[in-house]
Amino acid sequence: MVDVVFSGGDLPAINSALIVEWDRPAPLVLEVHSHLDLQTVRAVAFQSTQGLARGVTVHATGGPVTVPVGEAILGRLLDVVGNPQDNGPALPADTPRRSIHALPPLLKSQSGTTDVFETGIKVIDLLTPMAQGGKAAMFGGAGVGKTVLVMELIRAMVEKYEGISVFAGIGERSREGHELLTEMQGSGVLARTVLVYGQMNEPPGARWRAPLTALTVSEYFRDQKHRNVLLLMDNVFRFVQAGAEVSSLLGRLPSRVGYQPTLATEVARLQERIASVAGSAVTAIQAVYVPADDFTDPAVTTISSHMDCVIVLSRAQAAEGFYPAIDPLASSSMLLDPLVVGDDHYQIAEAVRQTLARFAELTDIISLLGVEELGAADRLIVKRARRLQRFLTQPFMVTEAFTGTPGASVPLADTLAGCRAILDGEADDWSEGSLYMVGTFEDARKKETAGQADHPEAPA
């Protein structure tokens, strides 16, 4: 926080930008957040204030913080105020700029969408289909695979997706940002992508406003260029966390669990700007850290209330080696409706859910008495549920270098056919390992055949 005294005249408006004219090569940008008295404002710094001294001159810009937008920033990595951070050339002087603060589109101008956004990830396409122009969030604690899943979605989308991609790294580690930039350069997709970073080592102001910068870039391509935009954010919890830091520095009384009293307003201002207008859509995929695996945390519940598709990553699934570690019973999507995905998809998804839910109910009985004590019908459900669990795992292309297993992208039709075959009992006599970490059902069939050839005396 920086307090600035203006000797005369009107004070700068709330959310307006101030420029500190200090002795460093890059100017320090501040944003006004409160008027302390008739002469003093309190502002949030967007860069490190190390070396800032009393008595330094501050210039009021008279308007909000603006960031560069347009074709010139494609393929570039920017900070929260739009300065290139990729050691590339400076942006052209005529690059258009827009304010990071904007109102959401009017409800009457927004267009709803029911087009399914196919990802090639079996468990997502089957149980939690994403909407083109919708908002999807992946919730999970530390180390359950949120960033890996986001990176696989980036890779999957860029292959099939012809629009612009905007990635907002909020509170990211420097290593993760460097890895993503290197991977995008290597895969040749950087030319249609803009990266915006407010990193973990930057002040809370930078982390707090980085998603607004990414949104501003997305809105320009949607409104002015009429292009579809894929907006990826990792990690939205860090946005809330930065807002809590700013709130306490501003001297506001904390609310529930120590969060800022303006939590719901801040999240709504961010999420409601993500919308589709006049045939152009901003589709948002967001990773959300769940502190201490507590899904009742106020930040988590506030963010989830804005989502069309909620994907919950489970530590129990990860502990058993089921990756992606998506909990099929806790995850949900508004698009899983027969009017949207069709009767066939809906019925298969419901049958898979019912089978897995019944297996979850029987887990305690099995652990106490053993599977032999179950009735014949329940034993069959357990057998098929275990095979479904393994079939819904999938090797990722972004983890190929670590696991040695080639990644797989599975069309929705193959996912539905495989689940139907398992529910119909085609894999009842197969080894469970044949269905683990494979792509399609046919891949599993080949694995099973090869396994029987290797061990002809092994029981089926």
Side-chain angles (χ1 to χ4, degrees), residues 1 25 73 79 95 140 166 282 284 310 318 366 388 427 430 455 459:
M1 288 298 160
I73 64 169
D79 65 9
T95 303
V166 180
V282 175
V310 173
I366 294 168
L388 281 169
W430 292 11
H455 305 284

Short mmCIF file of all heavy atoms in Angstrom, two decimals, residues 1 25 73 79 95 140 166 282 284 310 318 366 388 427 430 455 459:
data_model
loop_
_atom_site.label_atom_id
_atom_site.label_comp_id
_atom_site.label_asym_id
_atom_site.label_seq_id
_atom_site.Cartn_x
_atom_site.Cartn_y
_atom_site.Cartn_z
N MET A 1 0.83 -1.19 0.00
CA MET A 1 0.00 0.00 0.00
C MET A 1 0.87 1.24 0.00
O MET A 1 1.90 1.29 0.68
CB MET A 1 -0.88 0.02 1.26
CG MET A 1 -1.99 -1.00 1.23
SD MET A 1 -3.09 -0.66 -0.12
CE MET A 1 -3.86 -2.24 -0.27
N PRO A 25 14.22 2.23 -13.87
CA PRO A 25 13.94 2.29 -15.32
C PRO A 25 12.47 2.12 -15.66
O PRO A 25 11.96 2.78 -16.56
CB PRO A 25 14.80 1.15 -15.90
CG PRO A 25 15.21 0.30 -14.73
CD PRO A 25 15.19 1.18 -13.53
N ILE A 73 -0.23 -8.32 -29.43
CA ILE A 73 0.16 -9.03 -28.20
C ILE A 73 0.03 -10.55 -28.33
O ILE A 73 0.36 -11.27 -27.38
CB ILE A 73 -0.64 -8.53 -26.97
CG1 ILE A 73 -2.13 -8.84 -27.12
CG2 ILE A 73 -0.41 -7.05 -26.74
CD1 ILE A 73 -2.91 -8.62 -25.84
N ASP A 79 2.85 -8.75 -18.16
CA ASP A 79 2.55 -8.65 -16.73
C ASP A 79 1.20 -7.96 -16.55
O ASP A 79 0.49 -7.70 -17.53
CB ASP A 79 3.68 -7.95 -15.97
CG ASP A 79 3.85 -6.50 -16.38
OD1 ASP A 79 2.99 -5.97 -17.12
OD2 ASP A 79 4.85 -5.87 -15.95
N THR A 95 -0.27 0.31 -30.60
CA THR A 95 -1.08 -0.80 -30.07
C THR A 95 -2.25 -0.23 -29.27
O THR A 95 -2.05 0.61 -28.38
CB THR A 95 -0.23 -1.69 -29.15
OG1 THR A 95 0.91 -2.16 -29.86
CG2 THR A 95 -1.03 -2.89 -28.65
N GLY A 140 -9.67 -28.64 -6.40
CA GLY A 140 -8.88 -29.71 -5.79
C GLY A 140 -7.84 -29.15 -4.84
O GLY A 140 -7.41 -28.00 -4.97
N VAL A 166 -6.25 -17.29 -24.19
CA VAL A 166 -5.66 -16.35 -23.23
C VAL A 166 -5.44 -17.11 -21.93
O VAL A 166 -6.39 -17.70 -21.40
CB VAL A 166 -6.56 -15.12 -23.00
CG1 VAL A 166 -5.90 -14.17 -21.99
CG2 VAL A 166 -6.83 -14.40 -24.30
N VAL A 282 -16.65 -16.27 -24.95
CA VAL A 282 -15.48 -16.45 -24.09
C VAL A 282 -15.76 -17.70 -23.26
O VAL A 282 -16.69 -17.71 -22.45
CB VAL A 282 -15.23 -15.24 -23.18
CG1 VAL A 282 -14.09 -15.54 -22.22
CG2 VAL A 282 -14.90 -14.00 -23.99
N ALA A 284 -14.45 -20.18 -20.42
CA ALA A 284 -13.48 -20.11 -19.31
C ALA A 284 -13.30 -21.48 -18.68
O ALA A 284 -14.27 -22.16 -18.35
CB ALA A 284 -13.94 -19.12 -18.26
N VAL A 310 -18.76 -28.15 -12.79
CA VAL A 310 -17.90 -28.25 -11.60
C VAL A 310 -17.20 -29.60 -11.63
O VAL A 310 -17.86 -30.64 -11.57
CB VAL A 310 -18.72 -28.08 -10.30
CG1 VAL A 310 -17.86 -28.34 -9.09
CG2 VAL A 310 -19.33 -26.69 -10.23
N ALA A 318 -6.65 -39.93 -6.35
CA ALA A 318 -5.22 -39.81 -6.65
C ALA A 318 -4.40 -40.83 -5.88
O ALA A 318 -3.45 -41.41 -6.40
CB ALA A 318 -4.75 -38.39 -6.32
N ILE A 366 -17.64 -54.38 2.05
CA ILE A 366 -16.56 -55.17 1.45
C ILE A 366 -15.33 -55.16 2.35
O ILE A 366 -14.68 -56.19 2.57
CB ILE A 366 -16.22 -54.64 0.04
CG1 ILE A 366 -17.39 -54.87 -0.90
CG2 ILE A 366 -14.96 -55.30 -0.51
CD1 ILE A 366 -17.29 -54.12 -2.22
N LEU A 388 -15.10 -49.90 -14.63
CA LEU A 388 -15.42 -48.54 -15.08
C LEU A 388 -14.42 -47.53 -14.50
O LEU A 388 -13.96 -46.62 -15.19
CB LEU A 388 -16.84 -48.15 -14.65
CG LEU A 388 -17.99 -48.69 -15.50
CD1 LEU A 388 -19.32 -48.44 -14.81
CD2 LEU A 388 -18.00 -48.04 -16.89
N ALA A 427 -16.59 -56.93 -20.55
CA ALA A 427 -15.26 -57.01 -19.93
C ALA A 427 -15.28 -57.75 -18.60
O ALA A 427 -14.30 -57.69 -17.85
CB ALA A 427 -14.70 -55.59 -19.74
N TRP A 430 -12.38 -60.02 -18.14
CA TRP A 430 -11.06 -59.46 -18.42
C TRP A 430 -10.32 -59.15 -17.13
O TRP A 430 -10.93 -58.97 -16.06
CB TRP A 430 -11.18 -58.15 -19.20
CG TRP A 430 -11.70 -58.29 -20.60
CD1 TRP A 430 -12.25 -59.39 -21.18
CD2 TRP A 430 -11.73 -57.25 -21.58
NE1 TRP A 430 -12.62 -59.12 -22.47
CE2 TRP A 430 -12.31 -57.80 -22.75
CE3 TRP A 430 -11.32 -55.93 -21.60
CZ2 TRP A 430 -12.50 -57.07 -23.92
CZ3 TRP A 430 -11.49 -55.19 -22.77
CH2 TRP A 430 -12.08 -55.76 -23.91
N HIS A 455 0.55 -64.89 -20.84
CA HIS A 455 0.30 -65.82 -19.73
C HIS A 455 -0.86 -66.74 -20.09
O HIS A 455 -1.97 -66.60 -19.54
CB HIS A 455 -0.02 -65.05 -18.45
CG HIS A 455 1.03 -64.04 -18.10
ND1 HIS A 455 2.24 -64.38 -17.54
CD2 HIS A 455 1.05 -62.69 -18.25
CE1 HIS A 455 2.96 -63.29 -17.35
NE2 HIS A 455 2.26 -62.25 -17.77
N PRO A 459 -5.77 -67.69 -15.28
CA PRO A 459 -7.24 -67.75 -15.39
C PRO A 459 -7.77 -66.46 -15.96
O PRO A 459 -7.20 -65.39 -15.76
CB PRO A 459 -7.69 -67.96 -13.95
CG PRO A 459 -6.55 -67.43 -13.12
CD PRO A 459 -5.30 -67.69 -13.88
#
